[in-house]
Amino acid sequence: MEMKAFEFATAQRIRFGWGVLEESGSIASTLGRRAFLVRGKKHPDLPRLMDLLDQSRVSVVEFVVTEEPSVDLVRQAVAQARAAGCDCVIGFGGGSVLDTAKAVSALLTNTGCLEDYLEVVGQGQALEVLAAPCLAIPTTAGTGSEVTRNAVLGVPEAGVKVSLRSHLMLPTVALVDPALTCSLPPKITAYTGMDALTQVLEPYVSVRANPMTDLFCREGLQRASWALLAAFKDGNDKDARTAMTWVSLLGGLALANAGLGAVHGLAAPIGGMFKAPHGAICARLLPLVTRVNLQALRNRQPENPILERYHEIARWLTRREEAQAEDGVTWLEEMVDILDIPGLGAYGMTHEHIPTIVERGLRASSMKANPIALTAEELTMILEEAL
Ligand code: NAD
């Protein structure tokens, strides 16, 4: 069998399991003495984390992130972490928190300002030095940011999201405890869960898919087929929470090494232009993009072997051996209905915004990994339906 060359990179260490938060203090103490702790508003296990850090004699400087991070917010965080002389970073929260933590850890060791290392709003220089030690502890099951090499930052004035990206900023330790996701309300479980699903689906049909990411995607799609709805219906379902946290981790491993596709290509400008949760945008777009990709491949590249992958996806999602590619799209559409995912009009997007989103989406890095180059007309059709 011919096997194409590939690279695979991830966090230095991954610790996964129910209750592993208990190890956070001892792990943190191996990374530094004075931690910059980036966290969300509040979490029922935050006091426990603080206790554990205290017992391990790790002092903390706290920084609270309440929304998806902007370049401005991260600039402030970096200034505080540098001024406080922190030697390591801990992120305890959703993707917004983890991305902020990762960006801060990169800027603690690399000199200069954030913009030096960003494209679109800066020089796009490459990071030169390994980021400061970073412990990433996710509390949502969605982004997989604990094992990815980028931090997504909004630039509201330019209406885009940009990524600070380097293999030098992969977290040192990903401490993944599914119990931390039990406090998520159903709406955020739905949005972040659909993001996790998107991140095991897009890399599976990505032009950069590789044999290693294929393994993760297959496992992730099979688990999400039952666990997404189960976690939405009962937030205390331990098996479902564990499975979705696993899917999210698998998605991070896959996307960081195989890229994504048109869902994320469009989500980047939409997320930059409107205050819409990233997961909700992905959820709304996923069935629409999947249907259009399938049609475009059949019409323009009927021999493309990726088409067979859409059949596999359908079989795994529906858990029916005889399922055809369309059945997979129908399953995704039904999921959007059941999870009550809003149209993007709810966030202020109108028909007038579509040409700008299409233009920016065509330039987005994720778009390059889509299984087939979609036309401006096809992207417009997707966005019209997503309203
Ligand atoms: P989020 O971090 O923005 O959190 C969503 C909401 O959930 C927030 O209000 C938060 O306070 C709350 N929350 C988090 N954990 C909770 C818990 N356990 N209980 C109750 N409430 C909780 O959402 P997200 O979807 O995890 O992250 C989105 C961000 O991640 C976006 O900016 C997106 O672009 C980015 N992202 C990054 C990557 C990457 O690889 N770096 C991948 C995908 C998405």
Side-chain angles (χ1 to χ4, degrees):
M1 181 186 82
E2 199 193 327
M3 205 156 146
K4 71 178 177 186
F6 68 89
E7 175 184 313
F8 187 82
T10 189
Q12 211 174 80
R13 183 177 167 201
I14 300 171
R15 181 83 174 109
F16 182 99
W18 198 270
V20 295
L21 180 71
E22 289 301 307
E23 296 166 28
S24 54
S26 56
I27 291 175
S29 69
T30 66
L31 302 182
R33 288 279 124 217
R34 191 162 169 73
F36 191 68
L37 172 64
V38 185
R39 63 166 177 89
K41 268 171 290 198
K42 54 177 189 252
H43 187 283
D45 288 302
L46 179 65
R48 182 67 190 142
L49 172 66
M50 297 303 253
D51 271 356
L52 290 162
L53 293 173
D54 187 49
Q55 283 166 26
S56 298
R57 297 203 173 79
V58 177
S59 69
V60 296
V61 176
E62 287 182 71
F63 186 86
V64 180
V65 171
T66 55
E67 55 186 10
E68 296 189 5
S70 63
V71 169
D72 269 349
L73 180 98
V74 171
R75 214 188 285 119
Q76 288 169 33
V78 169
Q80 287 186 28
R82 283 178 174 171
C86 294
D87 56 5
C88 65
V89 181
I90 301 172
F92 179 71
S96 297
V97 163
L98 300 189
D99 282 4
T100 306
K102 284 158 64 182
V104 170
S105 74
L107 270 291
L108 271 182
T109 49
N110 288 270
T111 54
C113 65
L114 179 61
E115 283 84 342
D116 295 343
Y117 304 102
L118 291 174
E119 282 175 4
V120 184
V121 291
Q123 337 302 327
Q125 265 169 238
L127 290 176
E128 286 175 357
V129 185
L130 188 64
C134 177
L135 168 60
I137 313 175
T139 65
T140 61
T143 69
S145 174
E146 65 274 14
V147 290
T148 66
R149 61 186 86 186
N150 66 312
V152 186
L153 311 177
V155 192
E157 56 283 12
V160 288
K161 275 182 156 186
V162 292
S163 261
L164 179 65
R165 189 190 312 270
S166 167
H167 66 280
L168 296 170
M169 57 186 281
L170 280 159
T172 320
V173 185
L175 187 68
V176 190
D177 182 345
L180 301 176
T181 65
C182 285
S183 53
L184 288 168
K187 195 159 94 171
I188 304 180
T189 300
Y191 295 172
T192 50
M194 282 297 283
D195 188 21
L197 173 60
T198 307
Q199 294 184 165
V200 286
L201 195 156
E202 289 208 294
Y204 195 61
V205 290
S206 155
V207 294
R208 290 173 45 211
N210 73 52
M212 200 132 157
T213 57
D214 286 350
L215 294 173
F216 299 134
C217 294
R218 186 173 309 147
E219 167 75 4
L221 286 158
Q222 288 173 348
R223 298 266 176 173
S225 70
W226 62 270
L228 174 54
L229 202 50
F232 175 71
K233 286 186 173 157
D234 177 5
N236 290 312
D237 181 333
K238 186 173 171 181
D239 289 344
R241 288 298 194 189
T242 302
M244 283 314 294
T245 307
W246 175 220
V247 175
S248 173
L249 174 64
L250 293 166
L253 296 171
L255 84 89
N257 294 285
L260 290 158
V263 173
H264 278 83
L266 292 173
I270 296 171
M273 290 166 72
F274 309 100
K275 268 203 180 311
H278 174 74
I281 302 171
C282 290
R284 188 70 191 172
L285 294 172
L286 183 60
L288 301 168
V289 167
T290 308
R291 187 175 290 288
V292 170
N293 274 344
L294 198 53
Q295 279 164 358
L297 282 162
R298 284 198 176 131
N299 292 339
R300 300 202 284 280
Q301 298 177 10
E303 306 300 323
N304 192 325
I306 287 180
L307 271 168
E308 174 50 29
R309 293 188 164 224
Y310 283 93
H311 289 285
E312 290 178 316
I313 291 169
R315 288 197 282 273
W316 294 330
L317 289 180
T318 63
R319 297 197 282 154
R320 285 192 293 111
E321 260 315 298
E322 71 285 5
Q324 298 297 306
E326 280 71 23
D327 299 321
V329 182
T330 307
W331 187 95
L332 293 169
E333 286 167 349
E334 283 170 5
M335 201 53 60
V336 165
D337 275 352
I338 300 168
L339 299 179
D340 204 17
I341 306 293
L344 298 180
Y347 302 106
M349 185 178 135
T350 65
H351 294 282
E352 284 69 52
H353 295 113
I354 290 179
T356 309
I357 298 168
V358 169
E359 186 219 319
R360 292 177 186 169
L362 281 168
R363 281 187 274 124
S365 59
S366 293
M367 199 60 88
K368 297 185 183 72
N370 200 56
I372 182 164
L374 295 180
T375 63
E377 291 69 36
E378 284 165 334
L379 294 175
T380 302
M381 197 165 74
I382 290 166
L383 292 168
E384 292 285 353
E385 284 196 51
L387 279 173

CSV table of all heavy atoms in Angstrom, one decimal, residues 54-102:
chain,number,residue,atom,x,y,z
A,54,ASP,N,-2.4,25.8,45.2
A,54,ASP,CA,-1.8,26.3,46.5
A,54,ASP,C,-1.0,25.2,47.2
A,54,ASP,O,0.1,25.4,47.7
A,54,ASP,CB,-3.0,26.8,47.3
A,54,ASP,CG,-2.5,27.5,48.6
A,54,ASP,OD1,-1.6,28.4,48.4
A,54,ASP,OD2,-3.0,27.2,49.7
A,55,GLN,N,-1.7,24.0,47.3
A,55,GLN,CA,-1.0,22.9,48.0
A,55,GLN,C,0.4,22.5,47.3
A,55,GLN,O,1.3,22.1,47.9
A,55,GLN,CB,-1.9,21.6,47.9
A,55,GLN,CG,-3.0,21.6,48.9
A,55,GLN,CD,-4.0,20.5,48.6
A,55,GLN,OE1,-3.8,19.5,48.0
A,55,GLN,NE2,-5.3,20.8,49.0
A,56,SER,N,0.4,22.7,46.0
A,56,SER,CA,1.7,22.4,45.2
A,56,SER,C,2.6,23.6,45.2
A,56,SER,O,3.6,23.6,44.4
A,56,SER,CB,1.3,21.9,43.8
A,56,SER,OG,0.6,20.8,43.9
A,57,ARG,N,2.3,24.7,45.9
A,57,ARG,CA,3.1,25.9,46.0
A,57,ARG,C,3.3,26.6,44.7
A,57,ARG,O,4.4,27.0,44.4
A,57,ARG,CB,4.4,25.6,46.7
A,57,ARG,CG,4.3,25.1,48.1
A,57,ARG,CD,5.6,25.3,48.9
A,57,ARG,NE,5.4,24.9,50.3
A,57,ARG,CZ,5.4,23.7,50.8
A,57,ARG,NH1,5.6,22.7,50.0
A,57,ARG,NH2,5.2,23.5,52.0
A,58,VAL,N,2.2,26.6,43.9
A,58,VAL,CA,2.3,27.3,42.6
A,58,VAL,C,1.5,28.6,42.9
A,58,VAL,O,0.3,28.5,43.2
A,58,VAL,CB,1.7,26.5,41.5
A,58,VAL,CG1,1.7,27.3,40.2
A,58,VAL,CG2,2.4,25.2,41.3
A,59,SER,N,2.1,29.8,42.8
A,59,SER,CA,1.4,31.0,43.0
A,59,SER,C,0.7,31.4,41.7
A,59,SER,O,1.2,31.0,40.6
A,59,SER,CB,2.3,32.1,43.5
A,59,SER,OG,3.1,32.5,42.5
A,60,VAL,N,-0.4,32.1,41.8
A,60,VAL,CA,-1.2,32.4,40.5
A,60,VAL,C,-1.5,33.9,40.4
A,60,VAL,O,-1.7,34.6,41.4
A,60,VAL,CB,-2.5,31.6,40.4
A,60,VAL,CG1,-2.2,30.1,40.2
A,60,VAL,CG2,-3.4,31.9,41.5
A,61,VAL,N,-1.4,34.3,39.2
A,61,VAL,CA,-1.9,35.7,38.8
A,61,VAL,C,-3.1,35.4,37.9
A,61,VAL,O,-2.9,34.8,36.8
A,61,VAL,CB,-0.8,36.5,38.0
A,61,VAL,CG1,-1.4,37.8,37.6
A,61,VAL,CG2,0.4,36.6,38.9
A,62,GLU,N,-4.3,35.9,38.3
A,62,GLU,CA,-5.5,35.5,37.5
A,62,GLU,C,-5.8,36.5,36.4
A,62,GLU,O,-5.7,37.7,36.6
A,62,GLU,CB,-6.7,35.4,38.4
A,62,GLU,CG,-6.7,34.1,39.3
A,62,GLU,CD,-7.9,34.1,40.2
A,62,GLU,OE1,-9.0,33.8,39.6
A,62,GLU,OE2,-7.8,34.3,41.4
A,63,PHE,N,-6.4,35.9,35.3
A,63,PHE,CA,-6.8,36.8,34.2
A,63,PHE,C,-8.1,36.2,33.7
A,63,PHE,O,-8.2,35.0,33.4
A,63,PHE,CB,-5.8,36.8,33.1
A,63,PHE,CG,-6.2,37.8,32.0
A,63,PHE,CD1,-5.8,39.2,32.1
A,63,PHE,CD2,-6.8,37.4,30.8
A,63,PHE,CE1,-6.1,40.0,31.1
A,63,PHE,CE2,-7.2,38.3,29.8
A,63,PHE,CZ,-6.8,39.6,30.0
A,64,VAL,N,-9.2,36.9,33.7
A,64,VAL,CA,-10.5,36.4,33.4
A,64,VAL,C,-10.9,36.7,31.9
A,64,VAL,O,-10.9,37.9,31.5
A,64,VAL,CB,-11.6,36.9,34.4
A,64,VAL,CG1,-13.0,36.3,34.0
A,64,VAL,CG2,-11.2,36.5,35.8
A,65,VAL,N,-11.3,35.7,31.2
A,65,VAL,CA,-11.8,35.9,29.8
A,65,VAL,C,-13.3,35.6,29.8
A,65,VAL,O,-13.7,34.5,30.1
A,65,VAL,CB,-11.0,34.9,28.9
A,65,VAL,CG1,-11.6,34.9,27.5
A,65,VAL,CG2,-9.5,35.3,28.8
A,66,THR,N,-14.1,36.5,29.3
A,66,THR,CA,-15.5,36.3,29.3
A,66,THR,C,-16.1,36.2,27.9
A,66,THR,O,-17.3,35.9,27.8
A,66,THR,CB,-16.2,37.5,30.0
A,66,THR,OG1,-15.8,38.7,29.3
A,66,THR,CG2,-15.9,37.6,31.5
A,67,GLU,N,-15.3,36.3,26.9
A,67,GLU,CA,-15.9,36.2,25.5
A,67,GLU,C,-14.8,35.7,24.6
A,67,GLU,O,-13.6,35.6,25.0
A,67,GLU,CB,-16.5,37.5,25.0
A,67,GLU,CG,-15.6,38.6,25.1
A,67,GLU,CD,-16.3,39.9,24.7
A,67,GLU,OE1,-17.5,40.0,24.6
A,67,GLU,OE2,-15.5,40.9,24.5
A,68,GLU,N,-15.1,35.4,23.4
A,68,GLU,CA,-14.1,34.9,22.4
A,68,GLU,C,-13.0,36.0,22.3
A,68,GLU,O,-13.4,37.2,22.1
A,68,GLU,CB,-14.7,34.6,21.1
A,68,GLU,CG,-15.7,33.4,21.3
A,68,GLU,CD,-16.3,32.8,20.0
A,68,GLU,OE1,-15.9,33.2,18.9
A,68,GLU,OE2,-17.1,31.9,20.1
A,69,PRO,N,-11.7,35.7,22.4
A,69,PRO,CA,-10.7,36.7,22.6
A,69,PRO,C,-10.4,37.5,21.4
A,69,PRO,O,-10.5,37.0,20.2
A,69,PRO,CB,-9.5,35.9,23.0
A,69,PRO,CG,-9.7,34.5,22.4
A,69,PRO,CD,-11.2,34.3,22.5
A,70,SER,N,-10.1,38.8,21.6
A,70,SER,CA,-9.7,39.7,20.5
A,70,SER,C,-8.2,39.9,20.7
A,70,SER,O,-7.6,39.6,21.7
A,70,SER,CB,-10.4,41.0,20.6
A,70,SER,OG,-10.1,41.6,21.8
A,71,VAL,N,-7.6,40.5,19.6
A,71,VAL,CA,-6.2,40.8,19.7
A,71,VAL,C,-5.9,41.8,20.9
A,71,VAL,O,-5.0,41.6,21.6
A,71,VAL,CB,-5.7,41.4,18.3
A,71,VAL,CG1,-4.3,42.0,18.5
A,71,VAL,CG2,-5.8,40.4,17.3
A,72,ASP,N,-6.8,42.7,21.0
A,72,ASP,CA,-6.7,43.7,22.1
A,72,ASP,C,-6.6,43.0,23.5
A,72,ASP,O,-5.8,43.3,24.3
A,72,ASP,CB,-7.9,44.7,22.2
A,72,ASP,CG,-7.6,45.9,21.3
A,72,ASP,OD1,-6.5,46.0,20.9
A,72,ASP,OD2,-8.6,46.6,21.1
A,73,LEU,N,-7.6,42.1,23.7
A,73,LEU,CA,-7.6,41.4,25.0
A,73,LEU,C,-6.3,40.6,25.3
A,73,LEU,O,-5.8,40.7,26.4
A,73,LEU,CB,-8.8,40.4,25.0
A,73,LEU,CG,-8.9,39.7,26.3
A,73,LEU,CD1,-10.0,40.3,27.2
A,73,LEU,CD2,-9.3,38.2,26.1
A,74,VAL,N,-5.8,40.0,24.3
A,74,VAL,CA,-4.6,39.2,24.5
A,74,VAL,C,-3.4,40.1,24.7
A,74,VAL,O,-2.5,39.8,25.5
A,74,VAL,CB,-4.4,38.2,23.3
A,74,VAL,CG1,-3.0,37.5,23.3
A,74,VAL,CG2,-5.5,37.2,23.2
A,75,ARG,N,-3.4,41.2,24.0
A,75,ARG,CA,-2.3,42.2,24.3
A,75,ARG,C,-2.3,42.6,25.8
A,75,ARG,O,-1.3,42.6,26.4
A,75,ARG,CB,-2.6,43.5,23.4
A,75,ARG,CG,-1.3,44.1,22.9
A,75,ARG,CD,-1.5,45.4,22.3
A,75,ARG,NE,-2.0,45.3,20.9
A,75,ARG,CZ,-3.2,45.9,20.5
A,75,ARG,NH1,-4.0,46.5,21.4
A,75,ARG,NH2,-3.6,45.8,19.3
A,76,GLN,N,-3.5,42.9,26.3
A,76,GLN,CA,-3.6,43.2,27.8
A,76,GLN,C,-3.1,42.0,28.6
A,76,GLN,O,-2.3,42.2,29.6
A,76,GLN,CB,-5.0,43.4,28.2
A,76,GLN,CG,-5.6,44.7,27.7
A,76,GLN,CD,-7.2,44.7,27.9
A,76,GLN,OE1,-7.6,44.2,28.9
A,76,GLN,NE2,-7.9,45.3,27.0
A,77,ALA,N,-3.5,40.8,28.3
A,77,ALA,CA,-3.1,39.6,29.0
A,77,ALA,C,-1.6,39.5,29.0
A,77,ALA,O,-1.0,39.2,30.1
A,77,ALA,CB,-3.8,38.4,28.5
A,78,VAL,N,-1.0,39.6,27.8
A,78,VAL,CA,0.5,39.5,27.7
A,78,VAL,C,1.2,40.5,28.6
A,78,VAL,O,2.1,40.2,29.3
A,78,VAL,CB,0.9,39.7,26.2
A,78,VAL,CG1,2.4,39.8,26.1
A,78,VAL,CG2,0.4,38.5,25.4
A,79,ALA,N,0.7,41.8,28.6
A,79,ALA,CA,1.3,42.8,29.4
A,79,ALA,C,1.3,42.5,30.8
A,79,ALA,O,2.3,42.6,31.6
A,79,ALA,CB,0.6,44.2,29.1
A,80,GLN,N,0.1,42.0,31.3
A,80,GLN,CA,0.0,41.6,32.7
A,80,GLN,C,0.9,40.4,33.1
A,80,GLN,O,1.6,40.4,34.1
A,80,GLN,CB,-1.4,41.2,33.1
A,80,GLN,CG,-2.3,42.5,33.1
A,80,GLN,CD,-3.7,42.1,33.6
A,80,GLN,OE1,-3.9,41.2,34.4
A,80,GLN,NE2,-4.7,42.9,33.2
A,81,ALA,N,1.0,39.4,32.2
A,81,ALA,CA,1.8,38.2,32.5
A,81,ALA,C,3.3,38.6,32.5
A,81,ALA,O,4.0,38.1,33.4
A,81,ALA,CB,1.5,37.2,31.5
A,82,ARG,N,3.7,39.5,31.6
A,82,ARG,CA,5.1,39.9,31.6
A,82,ARG,C,5.4,40.7,32.8
A,82,ARG,O,6.4,40.5,33.5
A,82,ARG,CB,5.4,40.7,30.3
A,82,ARG,CG,5.5,39.8,29.1
A,82,ARG,CD,5.7,40.7,27.8
A,82,ARG,NE,6.0,40.0,26.6
A,82,ARG,CZ,6.1,40.5,25.4
A,82,ARG,NH1,5.9,41.8,25.3
A,82,ARG,NH2,6.4,39.7,24.4
A,83,ALA,N,4.5,41.6,33.2
A,83,ALA,CA,4.8,42.5,34.3
A,83,ALA,C,4.8,41.7,35.6
A,83,ALA,O,5.6,42.1,36.5
A,83,ALA,CB,3.7,43.6,34.4
A,84,ALA,N,4.0,40.7,35.7
A,84,ALA,CA,4.0,39.9,36.9
A,84,ALA,C,5.1,38.9,37.0
A,84,ALA,O,5.2,38.1,38.0
A,84,ALA,CB,2.6,39.2,37.0
A,85,GLY,N,5.9,38.7,36.0
A,85,GLY,CA,7.0,37.8,36.0
A,85,GLY,C,6.6,36.4,36.0
A,85,GLY,O,7.3,35.5,36.7
A,86,CYS,N,5.5,36.0,35.3
A,86,CYS,CA,5.1,34.6,35.4
A,86,CYS,C,6.0,33.7,34.5
A,86,CYS,O,6.5,34.2,33.5
A,86,CYS,CB,3.6,34.5,34.8
A,86,CYS,SG,2.4,35.4,35.8
A,87,ASP,N,6.2,32.5,35.0
A,87,ASP,CA,7.1,31.6,34.3
A,87,ASP,C,6.4,30.4,33.6
A,87,ASP,O,7.0,29.6,32.9
A,87,ASP,CB,8.2,31.1,35.2
A,87,ASP,CG,7.7,30.4,36.4
A,87,ASP,OD1,6.5,30.2,36.5
A,87,ASP,OD2,8.5,30.0,37.3
A,88,CYS,N,5.0,30.4,33.8
A,88,CYS,CA,4.2,29.4,33.1
A,88,CYS,C,2.8,29.9,33.0
A,88,CYS,O,2.4,30.9,33.6
A,88,CYS,CB,4.3,28.0,33.8
A,88,CYS,SG,3.6,28.0,35.4
A,89,VAL,N,2.0,29.2,32.2
A,89,VAL,CA,0.6,29.6,32.0
A,89,VAL,C,-0.3,28.4,32.2
A,89,VAL,O,0.0,27.3,31.8
A,89,VAL,CB,0.4,30.2,30.5
A,89,VAL,CG1,-1.0,30.6,30.3
A,89,VAL,CG2,1.4,31.3,30.3
A,90,ILE,N,-1.5,28.7,32.8
A,90,ILE,CA,-2.5,27.6,32.9
A,90,ILE,C,-3.8,28.2,32.3
A,90,ILE,O,-4.2,29.3,32.6
A,90,ILE,CB,-2.8,27.3,34.4
A,90,ILE,CG1,-1.5,26.8,35.1
A,90,ILE,CG2,-3.9,26.2,34.5
A,90,ILE,CD1,-1.6,26.6,36.6
A,91,GLY,N,-4.4,27.4,31.4
A,91,GLY,CA,-5.7,27.8,30.9
A,91,GLY,C,-6.7,26.9,31.4
A,91,GLY,O,-6.6,25.6,31.3
A,92,PHE,N,-7.8,27.4,32.1
A,92,PHE,CA,-8.8,26.6,32.6
A,92,PHE,C,-10.2,27.2,32.1
A,92,PHE,O,-10.7,28.1,32.7
A,92,PHE,CB,-8.8,26.7,34.2
A,92,PHE,CG,-9.8,25.9,34.9
A,92,PHE,CD1,-9.8,24.5,34.9
A,92,PHE,CD2,-10.9,26.5,35.6
A,92,PHE,CE1,-10.8,23.8,35.6
A,92,PHE,CE2,-11.8,25.8,36.2
A,92,PHE,CZ,-11.8,24.4,36.2
A,93,GLY,N,-10.7,26.6,31.0
A,93,GLY,CA,-11.9,27.1,30.5
A,93,GLY,C,-12.2,26.5,29.1
A,93,GLY,O,-11.6,25.5,28.7
A,94,GLY,N,-13.0,27.2,28.3
A,94,GLY,CA,-13.4,26.8,27.0
A,94,GLY,C,-12.3,27.2,26.0
A,94,GLY,O,-11.2,27.7,26.4
A,95,GLY,N,-12.5,27.1,24.7
A,95,GLY,CA,-11.6,27.4,23.7
A,95,GLY,C,-11.1,28.9,23.8
A,95,GLY,O,-9.9,29.2,23.5
A,96,SER,N,-12.0,29.8,24.2
A,96,SER,CA,-11.6,31.2,24.3
A,96,SER,C,-10.5,31.4,25.4
A,96,SER,O,-9.6,32.1,25.1
A,96,SER,CB,-12.9,32.0,24.8
A,96,SER,OG,-13.9,31.9,23.8
A,97,VAL,N,-10.7,30.7,26.5
A,97,VAL,CA,-9.7,30.8,27.5
A,97,VAL,C,-8.4,30.1,27.1
A,97,VAL,O,-7.3,30.6,27.3
A,97,VAL,CB,-10.2,30.1,28.8
A,97,VAL,CG1,-9.1,29.8,29.8
A,97,VAL,CG2,-11.3,31.0,29.4
A,98,LEU,N,-8.5,28.9,26.5
A,98,LEU,CA,-7.3,28.2,26.2
A,98,LEU,C,-6.5,28.9,25.1
A,98,LEU,O,-5.2,29.0,25.1
A,98,LEU,CB,-7.6,26.7,25.7
A,98,LEU,CG,-8.3,25.8,26.7
A,98,LEU,CD1,-8.4,24.4,26.2
A,98,LEU,CD2,-7.7,25.8,28.1
A,99,ASP,N,-7.2,29.5,24.1
A,99,ASP,CA,-6.5,30.2,23.1
A,99,ASP,C,-5.8,31.4,23.7
A,99,ASP,O,-4.6,31.7,23.3
A,99,ASP,CB,-7.5,30.7,22.0
A,99,ASP,CG,-7.8,29.6,21.0
A,99,ASP,OD1,-7.4,28.4,21.3
A,99,ASP,OD2,-8.6,29.8,20.0
A,100,THR,N,-6.4,32.1,24.6
A,100,THR,CA,-5.7,33.3,25.3
A,100,THR,C,-4.5,32.8,26.0
A,100,THR,O,-3.4,33.4,25.9
A,100,THR,CB,-6.7,33.9,26.2
A,100,THR,OG1,-7.9,34.3,25.5
A,100,THR,CG2,-6.1,35.2,26.8
A,101,ALA,N,-4.6,31.7,26.7
A,101,ALA,CA,-3.5,31.1,27.5
A,101,ALA,C,-2.3,30.8,26.5
A,101,ALA,O,-1.2,31.1,26.8
A,101,ALA,CB,-4.0,29.9,28.3
A,102,LYS,N,-2.7,30.1,25.4
A,102,LYS,CA,-1.6,29.7,24.5
A,102,LYS,C,-0.9,30.9,23.9
A,102,LYS,O,0.3,30.9,23.7
A,102,LYS,CB,-2.2,28.8,23.4
A,102,LYS,CG,-2.5,27.4,23.9
A,102,LYS,CD,-3.5,26.7,23.0
A,102,LYS,CE,-3.1,26.5,21.6
A,102,LYS,NZ,-4.2,25.8,20.8
